[in-house]
């Protein structure tokens, strides 16, 4: 069975570190602690005193650490070396920080690691992947960085500019393909021993990484790819972490307990220091026996969904390439807006049967929407959105008509605003449907906010938020105050449906009544 040696890098909160070490070692696992030498000697002494009688704890030689520096890698190597010597029975070495806590039991974690003989480390091609979203990329490697960017900013950038001006670049070692990824990894003992041997024999590679910027995101990631067969590497982290839009780590609090347990990870960071109840519950969890976990893994999509509420951007200015590209003053664009796509499709199918108006379903939402070949502009969803007006003009020409019906999701407010400003005559028919809890649950699963294994109590707490979000979409459309905006409500009688449809299509009432004479129009 797997036995884990945790590699803990920390610099504050000695009481929390003591509790963390006691919790992780209570079930027979090990921990090697590197406590930053910049931190107070009294704090370190308190940690050593509290844990001195615990045979499953060892301490690494301390050095002063700084963000973005080689010192973080050196501190990690010190802790790894200490763990290899102190714990010969350790099979896996798991990198954690003082802000990390287990979100599964030790029993679960050991069984997870036993299932597959591999290393877990994010390891993506440095130059080909998009792991670095903004900022320096090649500059991290080809220039030497000796100063700390945060504490010695002027020296850091002065040295960079001097090297750039003088052309003092350097080559990456020829036999090394640089990789990048999260610093939170879990490696097998054999891999760790190979890395330590490599560090001793390849001083040129160590010197290279020692003067790169943020080497904790590249050093281990590169060496593992260099030393371990590809089929034995799982390019992922076992630590669940989220980042805000500003690149800052998301903190977890007391009410995140159920969410964290349902993720397909063994640990999570960052657990807020103020989340004392969450820390207590997770500490108890690691020692639990026969604990069962319903892994639904919707955490990332759920976080993105919830944080996006309330900061929905509206685009008022036309795109620069569409300033003069009107659909045509004499043309009519009829937009059916409905969250329940199957309802809109039933209605447009009836319109297609009873009139001569071409109807196109959710062309801006559904990749599989059948469209004619228009020279490739219709081939991808990004092209359809980017060249929306050109696409619509080509559809008018293809069908040889001045009237088109299309379907659109209420979330596409930017499209509605764009078409609503056009010189063409635009009319909108918003279909307001009843949303049952079963429908909302299905919608949450289809959109990735929940999974088949999401606990019922978690889903029950999520449904009101999903319902409010759908109502918010409708409110935004109403707040936009579009001209020629009609509503067809499920709760209204069929006569009202026919009246709204007649105004939308500009057809006689008798034709509209025949179109809506469909018993199953709103059926789920």
């Amino acid at each position: 069975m797997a036995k884990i040696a945790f590699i803990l890098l920390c610099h504050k909160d000695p009481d929390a570190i003591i509790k963390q070490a006691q919790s992780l070692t209570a079930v027979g696992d090990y921990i090697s602690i590197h406590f930053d030498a910049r931190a107070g000697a009294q704090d370190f002494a308190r940690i050593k005193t509290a844990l001195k009688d615990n045979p499953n704890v060892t301490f690494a030689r301390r050095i002063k650490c700084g963000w973005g520096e080689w010192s973080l890698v050196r501190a990690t190597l010190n802790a790894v070396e200490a763990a290899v010597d102190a714990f010969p029975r350790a099979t896996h070495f798991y990198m954690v920080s003082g802000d990390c806590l287990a979100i599964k039991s030790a029993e679960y974690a050991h069984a997870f690691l036993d299932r597959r003989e591999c290393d877990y480390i994010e390891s993506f091609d440095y130059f080909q992947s998009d792991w670095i979203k903004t900022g320096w990329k090649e500059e991290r490697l080809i220039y030497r960085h000796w100063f700390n960017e945060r504490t010695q900013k002027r020296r850091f950038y002065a040295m960079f500019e001097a090297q750039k001006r003088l052309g003092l670049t350097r080559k990456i070692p020829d036999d090394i393909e640089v990789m990048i990824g999260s610093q939170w990894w879990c490696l097998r003992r054999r891999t760790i021993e190979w890395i330590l041997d490599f560090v001793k024999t390849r001083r040129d590679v160590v010197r290279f990484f020692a003067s790169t910027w943020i080497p904790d995101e590249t050093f281990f990631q590169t060496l593992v790819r260099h030393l371990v067969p590809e089929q034995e590497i799982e390019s992922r982290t076992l630590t669940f972490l989220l980042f805000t839009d500003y690149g800052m780590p998301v903190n977890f609090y007391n009410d995140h307990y159920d969410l964290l347990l349902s993720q397909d990870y063994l640990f999570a960071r960052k657990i807020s220091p103020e989340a004392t109840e969450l820390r207590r519950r997770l500490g108890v969890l690691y020692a639990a026996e026969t604990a069962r976990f319903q892994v639904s893994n919707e955490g990332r999509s759920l976080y993105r969904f919830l944080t996006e509420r309330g900061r929905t951007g509206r685009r008022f200015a036309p795109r620069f390439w569409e300033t003069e590209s009107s659909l045509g003053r004499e043309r009519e664009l009829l937009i059916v807006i409905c969250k329940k796509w199957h309802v809109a499709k039933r209605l447009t199918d009836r319109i297609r049967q009873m009139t001569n108006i071409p109807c196109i379903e959710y062309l801006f939402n559904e990749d599989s929407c059948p469209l004619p070949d228009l020279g490739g502009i219709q081939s991808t969803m990004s092209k359809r959105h980017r060249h929306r007006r050109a696409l619509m003009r080509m559809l008018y020409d293809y069908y040889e008509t001045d009237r088109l019906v299309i379907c659109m999701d209420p979330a596409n407010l930017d499209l509605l605003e764009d078409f609503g400003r056009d010189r063409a005559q635009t009319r909108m028919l918003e279909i307001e449907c009843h949303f049952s809890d079963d429908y909302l649950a299905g919608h949450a699963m289809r959109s990735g906010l929940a999974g088949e294994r999401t606990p019922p109590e978690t889903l029950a707490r999520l449904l009101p938020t999903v319902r409010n979000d759908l109502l918010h979409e409708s409110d935004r459309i109403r707040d936009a105050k579009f001209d020629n905006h009609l509503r067809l409500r499920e709760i209204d009688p069929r006569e009202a449906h026919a009246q709204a449809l007649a105004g939308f299509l500009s057809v006689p009432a008798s034709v509209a009544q025949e179109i809506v004479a469909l018993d199953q129009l709103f059926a789920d």
Side-chain angles (χ1 to χ4, degrees):
M1 177 180 285
K3 290 184 76 67
I4 305 170
F6 292 99
I7 307 302
L8 174 62
L9 264 58
C10 49
H11 65 280
K12 61 181 180 180
D13 201 349
D15 292 334
I17 292 168
I18 293 167
K19 291 178 181 178
Q20 186 179 18
Q22 291 171 337
S23 172
L24 295 177
T25 59
V27 293
D29 286 326
Y30 312 106
I31 191 166
S32 177
I33 301 174
H34 180 276
F35 193 69
D36 194 339
R38 294 183 190 276
Q42 290 181 338
D43 287 343
F44 182 59
R46 188 172 3 151
I47 295 171
K48 290 196 73 172
T49 300
L51 300 174
K52 63 182 175 63
D53 295 327
N54 189 329
N56 289 6
V57 176
T58 191
F59 294 91
R61 180 174 60 85
R62 300 172 66 200
I63 63 171
K64 295 180 179 180
C65 296
W67 184 88
E69 292 182 9
W70 169 254
S71 56
L72 286 175
V73 177
R74 185 66 261 176
T76 305
L77 289 171
N78 288 354
V80 165
E81 291 168 352
V84 168
D85 291 340
F87 311 126
R89 296 180 59 195
T91 62
H92 293 77
F93 294 74
Y94 196 126
M95 177 86 172
V96 294
S97 75
D99 295 320
C100 297
L101 285 180
I103 57 174
K104 298 291 188 293
S105 64
E107 183 180 67
Y108 181 100
H110 296 156
F112 181 96
L113 295 175
D114 284 335
R115 279 201 295 270
R116 187 177 174 199
E117 183 65 22
C118 71
D119 297 303
Y120 294 91
I121 182 170
E122 279 191 356
S123 182
F124 303 106
D125 187 284
Y126 187 90
F127 294 101
Q128 299 301 319
S129 72
D130 63 347
W131 202 86
I132 298 176
K133 302 298 183 184
T134 59
W136 286 357
K137 195 165 192 176
E138 186 181 37
E139 293 88 346
R140 291 193 189 189
L141 306 178
I142 64 172
Y143 297 108
R144 296 163 180 83
H145 304 280
W146 296 112
F147 300 105
N148 186 287
E149 192 269 342
R150 292 189 174 179
T151 61
Q152 299 168 293
K153 191 176 291 288
R154 291 182 62 182
R155 290 181 176 180
F156 178 90
Y157 287 105
M159 181 178 178
F160 168 73
E161 292 297 338
Q163 293 179 84
K164 187 176 178 181
R165 187 170 57 254
L166 297 172
L168 298 177
T169 59
R170 60 177 177 173
K171 287 181 60 179
I172 298 170
D174 291 334
D175 61 337
I176 292 295
E177 184 177 353
V178 180
M179 311 299 285
I180 192 167
S182 168
Q183 62 268 52
W184 311 110
W185 40 254
C186 179
L187 303 177
R188 295 167 296 173
R189 186 181 193 92
R190 183 187 68 179
T191 302
I192 287 292
E193 291 172 346
W194 284 350
I195 289 173
L196 295 179
D197 289 341
F198 184 92
V199 168
K200 293 175 183 176
T201 58
R202 291 296 304 271
R203 305 304 301 173
D204 59 321
V205 175
V206 173
R207 282 194 299 271
F208 171 78
F209 280 104
S211 56
T212 59
W213 192 40
I214 321 181
D216 54 317
E217 294 179 349
T218 54
F219 181 75
F220 291 98
Q221 297 77 0
T222 300
L223 265 58
V224 170
R225 282 286 176 185
H226 184 77
L227 298 169
V228 179
E230 183 176 359
Q231 63 271 21
E232 295 182 22
I233 301 173
E234 185 74 27
S235 188
R236 60 162 293 189
T237 176
L238 297 181
T239 299
F240 180 64
L241 64 162
L242 296 170
F243 290 92
T244 68
D245 293 346
Y246 304 100
M248 300 301 292
V250 171
N251 282 278
F252 297 108
Y253 296 93
N254 291 335
D255 55 351
H256 286 122
Y257 181 80
D258 292 328
L259 171 72
L260 293 177
L261 265 58
S262 67
Q263 305 314 305
D264 188 21
Y265 296 85
L266 304 184
F267 276 71
R269 77 178 304 268
K270 290 185 163 184
I271 309 299
S272 170
E274 288 79 29
T276 54
E277 179 62 14
L278 177 61
R279 286 178 170 273
R280 185 194 66 77
R281 295 177 74 182
L282 293 179
V284 171
L285 175 70
Y286 195 67
E289 296 182 359
T290 68
R292 296 292 177 262
F293 300 91
Q294 292 291 326
V295 176
S296 53
N297 211 36
E298 75 284 359
R300 295 188 189 281
S301 57
L302 185 58
Y303 174 79
R304 186 167 56 251
F305 168 78
L306 293 174
T307 53
E308 283 175 356
R309 303 309 97 184
R311 41 179 151 101
T312 307
R314 297 186 180 183
R315 182 174 61 82
F316 293 100
R319 296 170 184 266
F320 67 89
W321 60 79
E322 294 179 343
T323 302
E324 297 300 329
S325 56
S326 169
L327 302 183
R329 194 180 298 276
E330 304 304 320
R331 284 172 168 165
E332 290 183 57
L333 180 60
L334 309 174
I335 306 176
V336 177
I337 308 167
C338 188
K339 197 66 182 181
K340 291 187 176 181
W341 293 6
H342 56 280
V343 174
K345 289 179 180 182
R346 288 189 195 124
L347 181 63
T348 52
D349 187 53
R350 290 286 291 176
I351 293 173
R352 193 182 292 114
Q353 294 172 23
M354 304 301 299
T355 71
N356 292 321
I357 308 174
C359 299
I360 306 168
E361 294 170 354
Y362 287 86
L363 74 164
F364 293 110
N365 301 100
E366 202 168 26
D367 282 308
S368 59
C369 172
L371 290 172
D373 186 354
L374 302 173
I377 195 173
Q378 83 296 337
S379 59
T380 66
M381 191 61 65
S382 62
K383 286 184 178 180
R384 296 180 200 176
H385 279 257
R386 189 163 62 248
H387 306 298
R388 59 187 68 166
R389 295 193 185 185
L391 173 65
M392 294 306 301
R393 289 198 306 273
M394 294 174 78
L395 287 171
Y396 281 109
D397 293 339
Y398 178 85
Y399 288 107
E400 298 180 349
T401 182
D402 286 332
R403 306 185 79 202
L404 273 180
V405 174
I406 65 172
C407 298
M408 202 171 289
D409 191 279
N412 296 131
L413 182 63
D414 62 330
L415 293 173
L416 296 173
E417 288 180 328
D418 199 7
F419 289 132
R421 287 192 307 269
D422 195 86
R423 296 194 193 97
Q425 301 175 45
T426 303
R427 286 198 294 277
M428 303 177 189
L429 179 67
E430 183 182 1
I431 303 177
E432 296 185 10
C433 302
H434 169 71
F435 299 114
S436 66
D437 285 350
D438 287 342
Y439 174 83
L440 294 175
H443 175 71
M445 292 182 182
R446 288 188 295 273
S447 54
L449 304 177
E452 293 185 1
R453 297 184 178 180
T454 299
E457 56 272 18
T458 301
L459 192 58
R461 289 197 299 271
L462 177 62
L463 291 189
T465 303
V466 176
R467 187 185 298 279
N468 289 336
D469 186 64
L470 300 187
L471 294 175
H472 176 63
E473 289 178 352
S474 182
D475 286 341
R476 290 168 66 212
I477 293 173
R478 226 164 292 167
D479 291 341
K481 294 181 171 57
F482 293 115
D483 294 333
N484 304 314
H485 175 208
L486 301 160
R487 294 161 63 198
L488 191 157
R489 304 192 303 171
E490 180 177 356
I491 61 174
D492 288 342
R494 188 169 293 176
E495 292 77 14
H497 295 170
Q499 184 178 356
L501 191 62
F504 174 65
L505 296 175
S506 298
V507 298
S510 58
V511 176
Q513 289 169 0
E514 200 166 350
I515 292 173
V516 299
L518 184 66
D519 291 335
Q520 300 301 314
L521 175 61
F522 292 98
D524 288 335

